[in-house]
Amino acid sequence: MSTVEGHSGKLIFGKLGGKDIMAMQGRFHYYEGYSMKEVTFPVRVMYELGIKTLFVSNAAGGMNPAFSIGDLMIITDHINFFPDHPLRGKNFPTGPRFPDMHETYDLKLVAMADEIAQEKGIKVQHGTYIGVQGPTFETPAEYRMFRIFGADAVGMSTVPEVIVAHHCGIKTFGVSVITDLGGFDVPVQVSHEEVQEAANAAQPLMTEIMREMIRRS
């Protein structure tokens, strides 16, 4: 089970927008001590259950100076900065040994989200997410380094699950809620409670976009 406050670690089955869905209320994190295979096991289960599209969300620190706390960033690409890889070891027959990672985040789903956000007057950003081990928040120097790498937001999840989903042929759409900012001239301290507060405030807007995406899919 998940050991993180705010992550109840439940699997929920139901309908949304007339579609059958499976939702994870909380997820496993590498920093909790789980292996990469354990972190991504729920995605393997989703594949076996016939899931065709994966929607992922996370709380992330923003390095892009155009971002504000509470922004929704549609993930257009990612950088894997974890010390282990979820596909290391014997290859699962769900995909090739060396999967291509172009368009890891489905362009049609991104375009649909943009259209819905515009219709509903919801501000969205686009950017690259870098996944790191954690559990510490980043130092100012690390924020600046990740920005130089080409990342717009940083977090401790998402990338392993998305890699496995992509390997399984599952289409993926991802959103980061920008819960804190770093790497700028003025240091900004952050706590887990503040991250949760910012994520909870932005969640209804993100849910509105995703619910409509599911309805239209």
Side-chain angles (χ1 to χ4, degrees):
M1 62 176 293
S2 176
T3 63
V4 186
E5 184 181 346
H7 291 247
S8 59
K10 296 179 181 177
L11 286 177
I12 301 171
F13 296 85
K15 283 188 177 291
L16 185 63
K19 305 292 194 310
D20 292 320
I21 66 162
M22 170 184 174
M24 291 182 65
Q25 191 175 8
R27 54 152 68 98
F28 304 115
H29 296 80
Y30 188 69
Y31 64 75
E32 295 177 83
Y34 295 107
S35 70
M36 276 295 177
K37 284 185 171 53
E38 290 171 322
V39 167
T40 57
F41 180 71
V43 178
R44 298 286 183 193
V45 173
M46 291 176 187
Y47 170 78
E48 295 297 335
L49 290 175
I51 296 296
K52 303 297 183 186
T53 306
L54 176 68
F55 288 72
V56 292
S57 64
N58 58 59
M63 293 88 72
N64 189 319
F67 288 0
S68 302
I69 290 176
D71 277 356
L72 297 178
M73 185 192 84
I74 295 174
I75 304 173
T76 54
D77 205 348
H78 74 226
I79 298 170
N80 182 14
F81 208 66
F82 282 89
D84 195 5
H85 197 285
L87 300 183
R88 186 175 68 87
K90 184 179 179 180
N91 186 48
F92 279 81
T94 55
R97 169 76 282 187
F98 303 104
D100 180 88
M101 295 301 290
H102 286 87
E103 200 180 329
T104 307
Y105 299 85
D106 190 82
L107 293 178
K108 290 182 179 178
L109 292 176
V110 169
M112 185 191 300
D114 284 336
E115 182 179 346
I116 293 168
Q118 186 174 16
E119 290 173 6
K120 295 182 177 293
I122 299 173
K123 175 189 174 186
V124 292
Q125 307 275 16
H126 284 196
T128 296
Y129 175 91
I130 185 168
V132 299
Q133 174 177 303
T136 53
F137 290 112
E138 288 67 41
T139 68
E142 287 169 340
Y143 273 121
R144 291 192 293 269
M145 176 182 70
F146 294 149
R147 182 63 180 153
I148 292 170
F149 283 176
D152 298 284
V154 57
M156 307 169 196
S157 64
T158 301
V159 170
E161 299 99 307
V162 168
I163 289 173
V164 169
H166 192 68
H167 182 254
C168 291
I170 297 173
K171 293 188 296 185
T172 304
F173 173 78
V175 175
S176 293
V177 178
I178 304 303
T179 53
D180 60 281
L181 301 170
F184 306 127
D185 293 336
V186 180
V188 181
Q189 291 189 340
V190 62
S191 68
H192 182 60
E193 291 72 25
E194 289 171 324
V195 166
Q196 283 184 302
E197 185 177 337
N200 291 339
Q203 184 174 336
L205 300 176
M206 178 181 66
T207 302
E208 190 172 355
I209 293 173
M210 288 188 172
R211 182 187 291 115
E212 183 62 18
M213 290 179 70
I214 291 171
R215 190 186 70 81
R216 296 185 189 184
S217 297

